[in-house]
Amino acid sequence: MLGTPVSMPLVVAPTAIQRLAHPDGEPGMARAAAAVGTIMCLSTLATATPAEVSAAAPDAPRWFQLYVFRDRGVTRSF
């Protein structure tokens, strides 16, 4: 998928604030996506940092959804 080998043509969509649904949140979703060999896309409005998600599934491919804010400094900070 876009140059990344995956087991199926599915990507875990960037869903915001996942820890409201489950305490494992985005790190848990990254582990699940890695376990089935596909990509997890982290939302700009996640409850976990990219570093936390990376630590949860260090060898898995990850994408990041980036909102472009009016204040480009905010966008750059992500």
Side-chain angles (χ1 to χ4, degrees):
M1 188 164 306
L2 297 176
T4 301
V6 293
S7 65
M8 62 187 105
L10 297 172
V11 173
V12 175
T15 306
I17 315 171
Q18 290 186 18
R19 285 189 173 139
L20 285 178
H22 192 277
D24 288 349
E26 293 86 359
M29 188 61 72
R31 284 190 297 274
V36 297
T38 196
I39 299 166
M40 188 261 189
C41 185
L42 184 65
S43 171
T44 299
L45 302 176
T47 53
T49 66
E52 290 173 302
V53 172
S54 180
D59 297 323
R62 291 170 306 278
W63 291 353
F64 183 69
Q65 170 206 41
L66 179 64
Y67 289 124
V68 179
F69 296 94
R70 280 190 194 148
D71 180 343
R72 294 303 168 97
V74 172
T75 304
R76 278 190 220 71
S77 74
F78 281 98

